[in-house]
Short mmCIF file of all heavy atoms in Angstrom, two decimals:
data_model
loop_
_atom_site.label_atom_id
_atom_site.label_comp_id
_atom_site.label_asym_id
_atom_site.label_seq_id
_atom_site.Cartn_x
_atom_site.Cartn_y
_atom_site.Cartn_z
N ARG G 228 -60.27 16.10 33.03
CA ARG G 228 -59.14 16.96 33.28
C ARG G 228 -57.86 16.17 33.48
O ARG G 228 -56.82 16.48 32.92
CB ARG G 228 -59.48 17.82 34.54
CG ARG G 228 -58.60 19.00 34.74
CD ARG G 228 -59.01 19.76 35.97
NE ARG G 228 -58.07 20.84 36.28
CZ ARG G 228 -58.18 22.06 35.84
NH1 ARG G 228 -59.22 22.44 35.17
NH2 ARG G 228 -57.25 22.96 36.15
N ALA G 229 -57.96 15.12 34.31
CA ALA G 229 -56.76 14.31 34.60
C ALA G 229 -56.26 13.64 33.29
O ALA G 229 -55.07 13.48 33.11
CB ALA G 229 -57.09 13.27 35.69
N THR G 230 -57.18 13.23 32.47
CA THR G 230 -56.82 12.53 31.21
C THR G 230 -56.07 13.48 30.30
O THR G 230 -55.02 13.14 29.73
CB THR G 230 -58.07 11.96 30.52
OG1 THR G 230 -58.69 11.05 31.41
CG2 THR G 230 -57.72 11.24 29.24
N THR G 231 -56.60 14.71 30.10
CA THR G 231 -55.92 15.64 29.18
C THR G 231 -54.60 16.11 29.79
O THR G 231 -53.63 16.30 29.05
CB THR G 231 -56.81 16.83 28.81
OG1 THR G 231 -57.36 17.39 30.00
CG2 THR G 231 -57.95 16.43 27.92
N GLU G 232 -54.56 16.26 31.09
CA GLU G 232 -53.28 16.63 31.71
C GLU G 232 -52.23 15.51 31.54
O GLU G 232 -51.05 15.77 31.30
CB GLU G 232 -53.48 16.98 33.23
CG GLU G 232 -54.16 18.34 33.36
CD GLU G 232 -54.55 18.71 34.75
OE1 GLU G 232 -54.32 17.88 35.69
OE2 GLU G 232 -55.08 19.81 34.95
N GLY G 233 -52.68 14.27 31.69
CA GLY G 233 -51.80 13.12 31.48
C GLY G 233 -51.32 13.07 30.04
O GLY G 233 -50.14 12.79 29.78
N MET G 234 -52.23 13.36 29.09
CA MET G 234 -51.81 13.39 27.65
C MET G 234 -50.76 14.43 27.44
O MET G 234 -49.72 14.19 26.78
CB MET G 234 -53.04 13.66 26.78
CG MET G 234 -53.97 12.49 26.57
SD MET G 234 -55.37 12.93 25.56
CE MET G 234 -54.59 13.22 23.99
N ALA G 235 -51.00 15.63 27.95
CA ALA G 235 -50.06 16.73 27.78
C ALA G 235 -48.68 16.37 28.40
O ALA G 235 -47.63 16.67 27.79
CB ALA G 235 -50.59 18.04 28.38
N ALA G 236 -48.68 15.79 29.57
CA ALA G 236 -47.40 15.40 30.19
C ALA G 236 -46.66 14.37 29.32
O ALA G 236 -45.44 14.49 29.14
CB ALA G 236 -47.67 14.81 31.59
N ALA G 237 -47.41 13.41 28.75
CA ALA G 237 -46.78 12.42 27.87
C ALA G 237 -46.22 13.06 26.65
O ALA G 237 -45.08 12.79 26.23
CB ALA G 237 -47.79 11.34 27.54
N VAL G 238 -47.02 13.97 26.04
CA VAL G 238 -46.58 14.62 24.78
C VAL G 238 -45.35 15.50 25.05
O VAL G 238 -44.43 15.57 24.21
CB VAL G 238 -47.76 15.46 24.19
CG1 VAL G 238 -47.30 16.36 23.10
CG2 VAL G 238 -48.84 14.50 23.74
N SER G 239 -45.34 16.11 26.20
CA SER G 239 -44.18 16.98 26.53
C SER G 239 -42.90 16.18 26.57
O SER G 239 -41.84 16.62 26.14
CB SER G 239 -44.48 17.74 27.81
OG SER G 239 -43.46 17.68 28.71
N GLU G 240 -42.99 14.93 27.03
CA GLU G 240 -41.77 14.04 27.03
C GLU G 240 -41.26 13.76 25.64
O GLU G 240 -40.09 13.58 25.43
CB GLU G 240 -42.08 12.73 27.75
CG GLU G 240 -42.12 12.87 29.25
CD GLU G 240 -42.50 11.57 29.94
OE1 GLU G 240 -42.26 10.46 29.35
OE2 GLU G 240 -43.04 11.60 31.07
N THR G 241 -42.17 13.74 24.66
CA THR G 241 -41.77 13.42 23.26
C THR G 241 -41.05 14.65 22.62
O THR G 241 -40.41 14.43 21.59
CB THR G 241 -42.96 13.03 22.37
OG1 THR G 241 -43.78 14.21 22.16
CG2 THR G 241 -43.75 11.92 22.98
N LYS G 242 -41.26 15.82 23.10
CA LYS G 242 -40.74 17.09 22.55
C LYS G 242 -41.18 17.28 21.10
O LYS G 242 -40.58 18.08 20.36
CB LYS G 242 -39.22 17.11 22.63
CG LYS G 242 -38.67 16.86 24.03
CD LYS G 242 -37.35 17.56 24.25
CE LYS G 242 -36.73 17.22 25.60
NZ LYS G 242 -37.60 17.41 26.75
N ALA G 243 -42.30 16.64 20.71
CA ALA G 243 -42.80 16.79 19.34
C ALA G 243 -43.62 18.04 19.17
O ALA G 243 -43.92 18.46 18.03
CB ALA G 243 -43.64 15.56 18.96
N VAL G 244 -44.05 18.63 20.30
CA VAL G 244 -44.91 19.85 20.19
C VAL G 244 -44.23 20.91 21.05
O VAL G 244 -43.84 20.63 22.20
CB VAL G 244 -46.33 19.55 20.75
CG1 VAL G 244 -47.23 20.78 20.68
CG2 VAL G 244 -46.95 18.38 19.99
N ALA G 245 -44.11 22.13 20.52
CA ALA G 245 -43.48 23.23 21.27
C ALA G 245 -44.22 23.48 22.59
O ALA G 245 -45.44 23.36 22.62
CB ALA G 245 -43.44 24.47 20.42
N ALA G 246 -43.44 23.82 23.63
CA ALA G 246 -44.05 23.93 24.96
C ALA G 246 -45.19 24.95 24.98
O ALA G 246 -46.23 24.71 25.62
CB ALA G 246 -42.95 24.32 25.96
N ASP G 247 -45.03 26.08 24.29
CA ASP G 247 -46.09 27.11 24.29
C ASP G 247 -47.37 26.59 23.60
O ASP G 247 -48.48 26.83 24.05
CB ASP G 247 -45.64 28.36 23.49
CG ASP G 247 -44.63 29.15 24.32
OD1 ASP G 247 -44.37 28.78 25.46
OD2 ASP G 247 -44.10 30.15 23.79
N ASP G 248 -47.17 25.87 22.48
CA ASP G 248 -48.29 25.30 21.76
C ASP G 248 -49.00 24.27 22.64
O ASP G 248 -50.24 24.25 22.71
CB ASP G 248 -47.80 24.58 20.49
CG ASP G 248 -47.45 25.57 19.39
OD1 ASP G 248 -47.78 26.77 19.54
OD2 ASP G 248 -46.84 25.16 18.38
N LEU G 249 -48.23 23.45 23.33
CA LEU G 249 -48.82 22.41 24.16
C LEU G 249 -49.58 23.04 25.32
O LEU G 249 -50.70 22.60 25.67
CB LEU G 249 -47.75 21.48 24.71
CG LEU G 249 -48.20 20.21 25.41
CD1 LEU G 249 -49.17 19.37 24.53
CD2 LEU G 249 -47.00 19.33 25.83
N ALA G 250 -49.05 24.12 25.90
CA ALA G 250 -49.74 24.82 26.99
C ALA G 250 -51.05 25.37 26.46
O ALA G 250 -52.09 25.32 27.17
CB ALA G 250 -48.84 25.90 27.57
N ALA G 251 -51.05 25.93 25.25
CA ALA G 251 -52.29 26.52 24.67
C ALA G 251 -53.31 25.43 24.43
O ALA G 251 -54.50 25.58 24.72
CB ALA G 251 -51.96 27.27 23.36
N TRP G 252 -52.83 24.28 23.93
CA TRP G 252 -53.73 23.13 23.70
C TRP G 252 -54.37 22.66 25.00
O TRP G 252 -55.59 22.46 25.07
CB TRP G 252 -52.93 21.97 23.05
CG TRP G 252 -53.76 20.76 22.76
CD1 TRP G 252 -54.57 20.53 21.67
CD2 TRP G 252 -53.95 19.62 23.61
NE1 TRP G 252 -55.19 19.33 21.78
CE2 TRP G 252 -54.83 18.75 22.99
CE3 TRP G 252 -53.41 19.29 24.85
CZ2 TRP G 252 -55.21 17.50 23.54
CZ3 TRP G 252 -53.83 18.06 25.43
CH2 TRP G 252 -54.70 17.20 24.74
N LEU G 253 -53.55 22.55 26.06
CA LEU G 253 -54.08 22.05 27.33
C LEU G 253 -55.05 23.05 27.91
O LEU G 253 -56.10 22.67 28.48
CB LEU G 253 -52.90 21.83 28.32
CG LEU G 253 -53.32 21.28 29.65
CD1 LEU G 253 -54.10 19.95 29.56
CD2 LEU G 253 -52.04 21.02 30.56
N ASN G 254 -54.77 24.33 27.77
CA ASN G 254 -55.66 25.36 28.26
C ASN G 254 -57.05 25.26 27.59
O ASN G 254 -58.08 25.38 28.21
CB ASN G 254 -55.05 26.73 27.95
CG ASN G 254 -55.31 27.68 29.08
OD1 ASN G 254 -55.54 27.23 30.20
ND2 ASN G 254 -55.26 28.96 28.78
N HIS G 255 -57.00 25.02 26.26
CA HIS G 255 -58.24 24.85 25.48
C HIS G 255 -59.03 23.65 26.02
O HIS G 255 -60.25 23.73 26.20
CB HIS G 255 -57.89 24.66 24.00
CG HIS G 255 -59.05 24.27 23.14
ND1 HIS G 255 -59.86 25.19 22.50
CD2 HIS G 255 -59.53 23.04 22.82
CE1 HIS G 255 -60.82 24.53 21.81
NE2 HIS G 255 -60.64 23.23 22.00
N GLN G 256 -58.31 22.56 26.31
CA GLN G 256 -59.02 21.35 26.79
C GLN G 256 -59.67 21.65 28.16
O GLN G 256 -60.81 21.26 28.41
CB GLN G 256 -58.05 20.17 26.97
CG GLN G 256 -57.24 19.79 25.75
CD GLN G 256 -58.13 19.54 24.51
OE1 GLN G 256 -59.18 18.91 24.61
NE2 GLN G 256 -57.73 20.12 23.39
N ARG G 257 -58.89 22.35 28.99
CA ARG G 257 -59.45 22.63 30.35
C ARG G 257 -60.68 23.52 30.29
O ARG G 257 -61.62 23.33 31.03
CB ARG G 257 -58.38 23.31 31.21
CG ARG G 257 -57.27 22.41 31.70
CD ARG G 257 -56.25 23.21 32.45
NE ARG G 257 -55.25 22.38 33.08
CZ ARG G 257 -53.96 22.71 33.21
NH1 ARG G 257 -53.53 23.85 32.74
NH2 ARG G 257 -53.13 21.90 33.85
N GLU G 258 -60.62 24.49 29.40
CA GLU G 258 -61.69 25.51 29.41
C GLU G 258 -62.86 25.23 28.47
O GLU G 258 -63.98 25.63 28.73
CB GLU G 258 -61.10 26.89 29.06
CG GLU G 258 -60.21 27.37 30.21
CD GLU G 258 -59.60 28.74 29.94
OE1 GLU G 258 -59.89 29.33 28.87
OE2 GLU G 258 -58.79 29.17 30.78
N LYS G 259 -62.56 24.55 27.34
CA LYS G 259 -63.58 24.45 26.28
C LYS G 259 -64.14 23.08 26.03
O LYS G 259 -65.22 22.94 25.46
CB LYS G 259 -62.97 24.98 24.95
CG LYS G 259 -62.50 26.43 25.03
CD LYS G 259 -63.57 27.37 24.56
CE LYS G 259 -63.36 28.82 24.80
NZ LYS G 259 -62.08 29.38 24.65
N THR G 260 -63.38 22.03 26.35
CA THR G 260 -63.83 20.68 25.92
C THR G 260 -65.16 20.31 26.58
O THR G 260 -65.29 20.33 27.82
CB THR G 260 -62.77 19.63 26.27
OG1 THR G 260 -61.55 20.03 25.64
CG2 THR G 260 -63.16 18.24 25.75
N SER G 261 -66.15 19.96 25.74
CA SER G 261 -67.43 19.56 26.27
C SER G 261 -67.57 18.04 26.25
O SER G 261 -68.36 17.45 26.99
CB SER G 261 -68.58 20.20 25.50
OG SER G 261 -68.47 19.83 24.13
#
Side-chain angles (χ1 to χ4, degrees):
R228 194 180 174 93
T230 301
T231 49
E232 286 174 358
M234 283 178 69
V238 169
S239 133
E240 283 177 25
T241 68
K242 307 210 185 308
V244 180
D247 286 356
D248 284 349
L249 188 56
W252 179 85
L253 181 57
N254 219 22
H255 171 91
Q256 306 308 316
R257 284 177 174 144
E258 290 180 3
K259 301 266 169 38
T260 303
S261 59

